[in-house]
Amino acid sequence: MAIRVNGTEVDPPEDARVSLLDLLRERLQLTGTKVGCNQGACGACTVLLDGNRVLSCLTLAVQADGREVTTIEGLADGDGLHPLQAAFIEHDGFQCGYCTPGQICAASAMLREVTEGVPSYVTADLAEEHITLSREEIRERMSGNLCRCGAHNGIIDAILQVATEKAA
Amino acid sequence: MSKVQNAVVGSVRTVLGWVPSQWLPGGTPDPLIARRAAVGRQASRLDGPLKVAGKARFAAEVAVERLTYATLVHSPVARGRITHLDTSAAESAPGVNLVLTYRNMPRIESPALISLSDFSAVGNSALPILQDAEIRYNGQVVALVVAETQEQADHAASLLVIGYAPTKPTTRFQDAQAEARTPESLLVERNHVSVGRAERELARAAHRVDNHYRTPWQNHSAIELHALTVIWDGEDSLTVHDATQMIAPSAVVLAKLFGLKKDQVRVLSPFVGGGFGGKGLWDHQIVAIAAARLLGRPLRLMLTREGVYRIIGGRSPTEQRVAIGADGDGRFTALIHSGHSVMPTYGACPEPFTLGSRALYRAGSFEMLQHHVDLDVVPNTFMRAPGEAIGSFALESAVDELAHEMGIDPIDLRLRNEPERHPISGAPFSQHARRQAFTDGAKRFGWERRQREPGARREGEWRLGLGCATGSFPYARMPGASARITLRRDGAAVVACSAQEMGMGTATVQTQHAADRLGLPVSAVVFKLGDSALPAAPMAGGSSQTASVAGAIIAAAAKLTGELVRLAGNDSPIAGLRAGEVHLVDGGVGAIGDAARHEEYRSILARAGREEITVTATGSPPLEMLKYAMHSTSAIFCELRVSDATGEIRVDRLLGSFDCGTILNPQTAASQFKGGMIMGLGLALTEETLFDERSGRIMNPSLADYHIPVHLDVPEIEVMWTGIPDPRSPLGARGIGEIGITGVAAAVANAVFNATGRRVRELPITLDKLL
Amino acid sequence: MNPVTYQRASSLAEAVRLAESSQLLGGGTNLVDLMRKGVERPSQLTDVTALSAAIAATDDGRLVIGAAARNSAVAAHPLVRSRHPMLSRAILAGASAQVRNMATVGGNLMQRTRCLYFADVAGSRCNKRQPGSGCDAAGGFERYHAIIGASPACSATHPSDMCVALAALDADVRIVGPAGKRTVALVDFHRLPEDRPDQETALKQGEVIEAIEIPDAPFAARSDYRKVRDRASYAFALVSVASGLTLREGRIDEIRIAFGGIAPKPWRAYRAEAALRGVVPTAEAFKAAADLELAEATPLAGNAFKIALAKRTLAAVLTDLSGDDR
């Protein structure tokens, strides 16, 4: 078995205590995934596991064995920027840039969840299959990603723009 | 950091006699105020592509061979002594390289405390660092464990056996208030301000309010954890990749502590994942650097989030009294602001909550005095707008209370007391348009929709309210900022200094500035920062970095101009002109007022046979601060809902109208303003460090339990500005990093009152206070 | 974190065999955090996420959810959203999307309190971590602690949102152990602390949660969950209410109510339910029922507000559920 990280196969660590986060950062030098708390409380370490957003700090690397991990370094096709990355720059969706990779990874999965009709706590009618993406919906769905510089408005603007372009 | 301003003034006064000044107050305003091209333009962050791709390398992300990993161990008691220390199990655990305790820690001094007369003194605590068995606060570092992997170090740390003989700590604020100290000064500003007989004026005022306000412990909570990667090359060359907002000062201090020459220490910090006052020099850097030297291996230490709460001080709690007396027309006859904050004797940073109140309003009499409560705690430090952020909560709540009691619109009451000059010093304002900020802001916000009677607006289970407040934050430019300009023959320039980029946009804005200063397109300018090997910039603090670095670039550009004039010689269109008669424009040197006399840099350098010219210069002393009262000011407006059922508060709108001089980059400036305002929402509604007064222990050392605002807490925020240049500052700009948070808590509290009729005088305004 | 071995159970039988000597690992969102804090110190982990994660209705209309189902999958499932919306909403109120994608239903049932003193291994005494050692939460920060069902030994609350809805939905927990299968009602699965706050559930060593079952019922289709907390999202409940009801001829017919955030376990409000059956839904009736339910609430120094908050939140939820637009 192996962990596929951004398309490359990696051996799971011998030491079962190693988190997926530490595997990425300390053993694979994929430092785009950030450590904000190691407590599952900030979202900075968000990666995609088989396409779903998860916290890599609370995931033991061995749990990812046989699964596909996508990090900020593997989000875009080729060397260009993912539309979300470009939109974050355009809307100034960050200042220090530390929570940014986690925000972007989370946003990419969130947009897919929305197209699949996944509801949120603020969705009025849970039985409704189609989700109307309001600012409030995005804000609730992104609330697992903390930002301390206060780039919240720019982040939501960037996501909304990409969502609108996707829908168009 | 309003004391920065006063400190700077103090230190400048002492050197005024001999420092040559090119840029005196009363002189000509910076010519770029009128002539800017890139400055003032919207521009995306130049470091944006790196940050969104995860390629910006932070301090803990530098790849190093033979790296070791470290973990800190903290004391669980507040006072006492270590009586038993068994490191054997930890030392024999797999992968362990070193267990450092007070027994084997090299004898080392503590860094000199932050002082505004010595800008390289940056220590936050005078306590010894792992030097003895004494425990002085709960959370103190008692050991560092180093191993081959982080997992091994963490596990070994849990195997340390430490016995303590605890003694009774002083950890209760109210108990310690009885023995509070009354300092002569708050850093260099005098503590006690007494103008007229304020208590007497208050007692006989036609209208008065007199109340107490409380604010809690808080922590900066930057998302990047404090971290450093230490590399010793032999015994006398130290490289530290640190997450710091004080690069050059740290290098100076570390050299002194570790017995090195200044050029043997290099501190690198090109990206910092948020600072807000918390990313200074604390115990962890000293311990990690000492351990790496003992071990002879590179070492990485990243604090745990719990560790950040344990050993990095936050904002002090306060208990404040604000009393205002007013005559029948609402003119203030007395303004009293006093109270207590924590400052241990070994700390360096007072929480100067009364300073903001000295600059905001005209009043017939003033009385201001602060007291310091001495507790056994990790020393508190500066956190975004120290003093002003929470002092303005008290003052601006009180003004709202007075307005309500008098039946006057709160904006009107404020404008009736708008000062013409600085209310205490009498100095003229360099530029002051708060009235306009208020008027423009109120119009855009729709202030007229506010119902004067509290609780008058309802939608379903929600009560709606509007509130406003004002903020004031002093301008500061630090002396001693240096910059180097290298102008190449191809017409490109590299500008460099050790400035900090923590997300404020420094790299972007100073590139824009340097381009205009040198008459070059932005694409031809590279601005380098984040490295102590570059000419020294002061620490990032007090909203001063932009002006300080700009002042240094101005000085370097002036020096470069002189060099170019000299190099141009007699065969140039500018021949015969002196440095003062030319400016740098259109990629070369041109005569002021005569566009025909101009020569491009590449031509001058080619003729002189030079590949490049390099000049380094230090900014002029900030004399402008001596003569003028210089303050960024704001009007903050808030609209919110309070649930009648649950007391939950939802902020629907927040608008900031600012008067901060020239806005250098609308996009990054808007982000700075909004960022401050959002931190203000946290201050108002959710943030509190839970300090257990029984044990002196912080009980919520986690981002799950210390509640910074999440996306759903943050509405769309509007910001606007007067944009009127300040004729006394570089580029006409004043600081914008801390004015955003100032006033927000009061605007929220005032809106809560307007919605519910409930006056909450204790932060944070949690729902239980509204049930 | 102590050294630990990791293995995956590929079948329920294997999980039961391994459960005797190891700790079961679901998504890890709580366990890994507690291991890092030193609260949990297993030497062997058995990953049970390969077991059944199926969500399906049986012929008699009961909904069966495999213990390995991710929280997010349950919340998004069309049957849950249409038949048991309070469960969907409760799950969506918990943690963040990332955590819900990881967390399993079985793990959610087993999650431990967020009491600040429970988490503080180095600095605080805790009867839940070490029975008989004392409780430093008493007299400390008790904002998130219980107002009902607590004991002198422990007043920590159960943090789950999902379990509050399951309590209101009459859900059962299907358990498999060395002695075979058994079923425990969700309301009996978690226990009150009394003098053994370390014993939190009915699950015995060696037993594995296989699935939960929820009966289909009209009240469940007309149901909702409201969570009141210290920030708008991503925070644990101060008070939450799960409720569902049916009306007949202008009176409440069937009703279920459960509270979160106020007790050491999801608090099924039987007394309030009984008081409201057959009653015309009015603000007065809601208040009377809430008063009855919380008559024996004994608040601590820092959480007296929860009594009023719980009553008012319940009234708000019931007003909404009994309104015409439902």
Side-chain angles (χ1 to χ4, degrees):
Chain A
M1 296 277 267
I3 308 170
R4 276 182 79 83
V5 179
N6 299 330
T8 303
E9 300 219 329
V10 174
D11 287 334
E14 294 275 317
D15 187 342
R17 294 174 296 186
V18 177
S19 67
L20 178 57
L21 173 62
D22 282 345
L23 176 84
L24 294 169
R25 285 174 62 86
E26 304 301 335
R27 287 157 172 83
L28 305 178
Q29 312 303 328
L30 290 171
T31 54
T33 306
K34 304 301 184 190
V35 199
C37 67
N38 238 2
Q39 299 166 323
C42 78
C45 68
T46 301
V47 299
L48 307 183
L49 189 58
D50 292 337
N52 296 313
R53 46 177 166 163
V54 299
L55 299 177
S56 60
C57 78
L58 292 185
T59 305
L60 298 177
V62 287
Q63 288 176 284
D65 199 5
R67 303 173 75 180
E68 174 94 35
V69 177
T70 307
T71 70
I72 189 73
E73 291 93 344
L75 202 62
D77 294 330
D79 291 335
L81 292 178
H82 184 279
L84 278 165
Q85 291 172 322
F88 267 61
I89 296 175
E90 186 185 339
H91 293 280
D92 216 28
F94 54 90
Q95 292 197 53
C96 77
Y98 199 79
C99 73
T100 314
Q103 301 271 2
I104 293 173
C105 284
S108 73
M110 186 215 80
L111 290 176
R112 206 210 60 225
E113 291 160 12
V114 169
T115 26
E116 290 171 356
V118 172
S120 85
Y121 181 70
V122 301
T123 306
D125 182 0
L126 292 174
E128 179 63 51
E129 284 171 32
H130 176 76
I131 302 296
T132 308
L133 200 56
S134 62
R135 288 188 80 88
E136 190 192 21
E137 278 281 0
I138 300 178
R139 283 162 57 200
E140 160 60 19
R141 289 162 190 268
M142 290 299 293
S143 281
N145 290 82
L146 303 184
C147 167
R148 188 53 159 169
C149 295
H152 303 75
N153 283 185
I155 292 168
I156 305 304
D157 289 340
I159 296 170
L160 201 54
Q161 177 186 305
V162 172
T164 312
E165 282 167 2
K166 267 177 86 172
Chain B
M1 237 188 280
S2 45
K3 48 258 149 243
V4 169
Q5 189 180 44
N6 304 297
V8 167
V9 169
S11 65
V12 166
R13 279 196 179 114
T14 64
V15 296
L16 198 55
W18 53 273
V19 171
S21 148
Q22 299 154 313
W23 200 45
L24 280 162
T28 321
D30 184 350
L32 274 202
I33 291 173
R35 200 162 54 80
R36 54 203 164 97
V39 164
R41 289 270 163 82
Q42 182 102 350
S44 292
R45 283 168 206 279
L46 298 173
D47 51 17
L50 281 178
K51 286 177 174 175
V52 299
K55 289 176 182 160
R57 291 258 168 180
F58 292 82
E61 299 169 354
V62 180
V64 190
E65 295 287 319
R66 300 183 67 239
L67 186 62
T68 61
Y69 293 84
T71 299
L72 291 173
V73 181
H74 305 273
S75 165
V77 302
R79 285 304 296 264
R81 281 184 71 78
I82 295 174
T83 51
H84 175 74
L85 180 58
D86 182 357
T87 58
S88 56
E91 279 165 339
S92 56
V96 171
N97 303 110
L98 176 70
V99 176
L100 194 63
T101 67
Y102 73 91
R103 287 183 184 154
N104 55 344
M105 172 81 177
R107 298 286 78 95
I108 195 165
E109 286 175 46
S110 298
L113 292 179
I114 290 178
S115 138
L116 295 168
S117 51
D118 174 2
F119 285 89
S120 64
V122 291
N124 279 284
S125 168
L127 294 179
I129 301 166
L130 213 56
Q131 298 293 299
D132 55 32
E134 207 58 38
I135 303 299
R136 294 163 175 98
Y137 64 86
N138 197 319
Q140 175 184 319
V141 173
V142 292
L144 177 88
V145 179
V146 188
E148 295 294 328
T149 72
Q150 190 68 56
E151 292 77 18
Q152 290 169 334
D154 292 349
H155 172 57
S158 72
L159 302 176
L160 274 177
V161 182
I162 307 176
Y164 300 89
T167 54
K168 189 173 163 31
T170 305
T171 45
R172 292 183 191 271
F173 187 92
Q174 278 179 320
D175 292 355
Q177 261 176 311
E179 310 200 353
R181 309 188 306 281
T182 306
E184 276 299 305
S185 60
L186 301 170
L187 288 175
V188 299
E189 177 90 348
R190 74 181 189 280
N191 179 13
H192 189 194
V193 168
S194 189
V195 178
R197 294 177 62 182
E199 293 290 356
R200 192 187 62 182
E201 293 300 327
L202 180 72
R204 66 186 192 194
H207 303 275
R208 79 181 73 88
V209 289
D210 188 350
N211 288 298
H212 284 79
Y213 303 83
R214 300 176 74 91
T215 65
W217 287 102
Q218 294 180 332
N219 280 79
H220 311 82
S221 305
I223 302 296
E224 181 201 26
L225 295 160
H226 293 62
L228 70 161
T229 305
V230 188
I231 305 157
W232 282 94
D233 185 4
E235 271 291 303
D236 53 10
S237 172
L238 170 65
T239 303
V240 182
H241 300 269
D242 193 13
T244 180
Q245 56 191 93
M246 36 189 71
I247 294 168
S250 288
V252 172
V253 172
L254 293 175
K256 181 163 181 289
L257 293 184
F258 289 93
L260 301 171
K261 298 196 192 81
K262 211 175 132 187
D263 61 3
Q264 292 173 322
V265 177
R266 189 171 179 197
V267 174
L268 291 131
S269 195
F271 298 101
V272 181
F276 318 114
K279 291 262 173 73
L281 190 66
W282 294 86
D283 294 6
H284 66 285
Q285 289 111 325
I286 314 289
V287 175
I289 292 166
R293 188 184 225 177
L294 279 178
L295 200 57
R297 298 254 313 257
L299 178 149
R300 176 168 301 155
L301 173 63
M302 175 177 263
L303 298 193
T304 60
R305 179 54 67 179
E306 177 184 349
V308 174
Y309 285 92
R310 298 258 174 264
I311 67 164
I312 309 296
R315 197 195 296 278
S316 161
T318 62
E319 187 182 289
Q320 307 176 44
R321 175 192 172 209
V322 174
I324 306 173
D327 66 17
D329 294 327
R331 277 188 284 269
F332 295 171
T333 55
L335 178 50
I336 298 170
H337 195 170
S338 60
H340 292 76
S341 65
V342 172
M343 183 169 161
T345 53
Y346 46 81
C349 305
E351 181 69 38
F353 54 84
T354 59
L355 293 196
S357 301
R358 302 174 186 198
L360 273 173
Y361 297 110
R362 189 158 44 84
S365 61
F366 292 92
E367 182 71 26
M368 296 183 187
L369 187 62
Q370 291 191 212
H371 309 286
H372 286 161
V373 176
D374 183 15
L375 296 182
D376 295 319
V377 289
V378 58
N380 53 289
T381 190
F382 299 134
M383 176 169 161
R384 204 172 198 167
E388 274 81 357
I390 54 177
S392 65
F393 164 65
L395 177 68
E396 288 294 284
S397 292
V399 172
D400 198 69
E401 293 179 64
L402 181 64
H404 178 72
E405 120 104 34
M406 295 187 67
I408 301 180
D409 181 275
I411 296 178
D412 187 21
L413 179 63
R414 288 182 172 91
L415 296 183
R416 287 185 201 185
N417 292 284
E418 185 72 359
E420 298 302 318
R421 304 170 78 85
H422 189 279
I424 305 292
S425 73
F429 289 115
S430 55
Q431 179 269 324
H432 185 76
R434 182 170 45 192
R435 184 178 295 272
Q436 182 185 333
F438 249 119
T439 312
D440 293 354
K443 191 173 170 194
R444 171 119 152 236
F445 191 71
W447 180 251
E448 74 284 353
R449 292 183 300 115
R450 175 178 177 270
Q451 305 281 324
R452 192 159 288 188
E453 203 48 45
R457 285 179 64 206
R458 253 178 178 288
E459 274 177 22
E461 74 170 57
W462 301 91
R463 291 179 186 272
L464 281 66
L466 275 66
C468 73
T470 188
S472 172
F473 199 86
Y475 165 89
R477 187 163 68 87
M478 303 270 200
S482 303
R484 182 174 69 215
I485 301 175
T486 301
L487 183 65
R488 299 203 311 251
R489 191 196 280 201
D490 64 3
V494 178
V495 181
C497 73
S498 72
Q500 291 81 193
E501 175 59 274
M502 310 187 289
M504 310 86 91
T506 306
T508 306
V509 166
Q510 294 296 352
T511 304
Q512 291 175 284
H513 168 219
D516 282 6
R517 189 67 63 188
L518 300 175
L520 291 171
V522 166
S523 59
V525 176
V526 172
F527 183 70
K528 290 166 77 170
L529 48 55
D531 182 349
S532 68
L534 302 173
M539 69 171 180
S543 296
S544 67
Q545 179 165 267
T546 299
S548 304
V549 170
I553 293 174
I554 288 169
K559 196 166 174 185
L560 178 70
T561 307
E563 280 293 295
L564 287 165
V565 166
R566 194 179 59 75
L567 275 186
N570 296 327
D571 297 329
S572 166
I574 59 165
L577 293 172
R578 285 172 300 172
E581 295 165 337
V582 299
H583 54 179
L584 307 180
V585 65
D586 295 335
V589 185
I592 295 173
D594 183 358
R597 296 185 69 185
H598 181 273
E599 183 172 12
E600 291 193 355
Y601 300 136
R602 63 186 79 209
S603 161
I604 297 173
L605 266 66
R607 193 172 57 253
R610 295 282 293 271
E611 284 304 312
E612 61 180 42
I613 312 175
T614 297
V615 295
T616 303
T618 301
S620 65
L623 301 175
E624 67 274 22
M625 294 163 63
L626 274 181
K627 199 164 176 183
Y628 295 96
M630 302 178 72
H631 297 265
S632 288
T633 60
S634 70
I636 306 285
F637 300 84
C638 176
E639 179 169 4
L640 50 72
R641 286 174 289 150
V642 181
S643 165
D644 240 0
T646 62
E648 289 166 288
I649 298 171
R650 296 287 180 265
V651 176
D652 291 323
R653 289 182 69 205
L654 196 60
L655 182 146
S657 178
F658 297 95
D659 182 46
C660 304
T662 308
I663 295 302
L664 303 179
N665 179 334
Q667 187 172 48
T668 56
S671 292
Q672 276 282 76
F673 288 135
K674 290 181 182 181
M677 292 166 75
I678 291 165
M679 203 176 278
L681 284 182
L683 169 70
L685 296 173
T686 58
E687 292 183 33
E688 178 172 9
T689 306
L690 299 176
F691 178 79
D692 192 324
E693 291 203 323
R694 300 170 304 171
S695 59
R697 191 163 174 83
I698 290 169
M699 290 313 304
N700 60 339
S702 121
L703 288 179
D705 303 306
Y706 182 94
H707 291 139
I708 72 171
V710 298
H711 279 290
L712 197 58
D713 291 303
V714 180
E716 271 189 277
I717 295 172
E718 296 166 81
V719 292
M720 56 195 290
W721 44 79
T722 65
I724 303 167
D726 189 319
R728 306 301 163 199
S729 72
L731 295 161
R734 289 192 300 262
I736 61 170
E738 291 165 281
I739 185 67
I741 187 174
T742 307
V744 174
V748 171
N750 296 341
V752 166
F753 177 77
N754 185 241
T756 65
R758 292 216 188 206
R759 176 60 62 181
V760 181
R761 300 192 184 93
E762 181 173 5
L763 297 181
I765 307 172
T766 45
L767 58 89
D768 48 299
K769 293 169 186 163
L770 297 171
L771 280 176
Chain C
M1 205 184 279
N2 283 352
V4 66
T5 61
Y6 170 89
Q7 60 212 315
R8 288 182 185 177
S10 54
S11 69
L12 197 54
E14 189 184 9
V16 170
R17 187 169 53 76
L18 293 169
E20 196 58 49
S21 60
S22 67
Q23 193 152 349
L24 304 183
L25 175 69
T29 54
N30 190 209
L31 180 54
V32 171
D33 186 39
L34 291 175
M35 286 166 66
R36 207 169 269 145
K37 290 186 165 97
V39 175
E40 300 271 12
R41 297 166 179 267
S43 56
Q44 288 184 49
L45 289 173
T46 297
D47 185 332
V48 290
T49 55
L51 305 187
S52 173
I55 304 171
T58 60
D59 292 342
D60 61 355
R62 292 171 74 83
L63 189 68
V64 179
I65 302 173
R70 305 288 172 173
N71 282 196
S72 51
V74 180
H77 198 279
L79 281 179
V80 177
R81 288 159 69 178
S82 58
R83 291 192 195 172
H84 314 282
M86 71 159 90
L87 176 58
S88 187
R89 181 95 64 202
I91 292 173
L92 294 169
S96 67
Q98 287 93 318
V99 172
R100 298 192 294 269
N101 277 334
M102 303 165 70
T104 62
V105 165
N108 194 318
L109 258 59
M110 296 303 294
Q111 73 174 301
R112 309 199 65 189
T113 184
R114 304 293 164 149
C115 170
L116 301 172
Y117 299 84
F118 170 72
D120 182 26
V121 172
S124 302
R125 295 172 304 156
C126 174
N127 287 323
K128 200 182 260 302
R129 272 192 275 110
Q130 214 170 7
S133 64
C135 170
D136 279 333
F141 292 108
E142 297 169 317
R143 182 177 180 77
Y144 283 85
H145 286 68
I147 54 172
I148 197 161
S151 73
C154 183
S155 59
T157 45
H158 193 263
S160 171
D161 293 295
M162 183 187 84
C163 292
V164 179
L166 290 177
L169 289 168
D170 298 329
D172 288 325
V173 184
R174 282 189 357 206
I175 295 168
V176 182
K181 300 197 174 200
R182 64 191 182 109
T183 297
V184 177
L186 189 283
V187 289
D188 298 326
F189 182 80
H190 299 101
R191 55 181 299 281
L192 293 177
E194 297 170 356
D195 58 351
R196 286 304 300 271
D198 56 314
Q199 295 176 357
E200 295 172 355
T201 71
L203 202 70
K204 300 185 191 120
Q205 181 70 35
E207 287 188 322
V208 179
I209 301 171
E210 181 190 9
I212 52 171
E213 279 189 28
I214 309 170
D216 193 16
F219 71 80
R222 183 175 181 145
S223 71
D224 212 342
Y225 183 79
R226 180 160 176 178
K227 182 177 184 181
V228 183
R229 39 190 157 175
D230 272 332
R231 60 184 173 192
S233 186
Y234 206 16
F236 291 97
L238 290 165
V239 164
S240 68
V241 172
S243 185
L245 55 79
T246 56
L247 295 172
R248 193 161 63 183
E249 294 165 1
R251 290 172 183 273
I252 292 172
D253 185 16
E254 278 295 302
I255 183 163
R256 299 288 185 282
I257 299 166
F259 286 104
I262 63 166
K265 59 183 273 187
W267 190 261
R268 178 72 178 267
Y270 292 111
R271 291 182 188 181
E273 290 174 10
L276 287 166
R277 258 180 221 114
V279 165
V280 176
T282 61
E284 294 70 31
F286 300 154
K287 183 176 182 307
D291 286 346
L292 187 65
E293 184 65 45
L294 293 165
E296 281 151 35
T298 44
L300 305 162
N303 68 6
F305 72 94
K306 279 186 172 181
I307 296 179
L309 182 62
K311 291 176 180 177
R312 293 160 69 159
T313 308
L314 176 62
V317 170
L318 294 179
T319 303
D320 186 38
L321 286 175
S322 57
D324 293 336
D325 51 349
R326 281 272 169 176

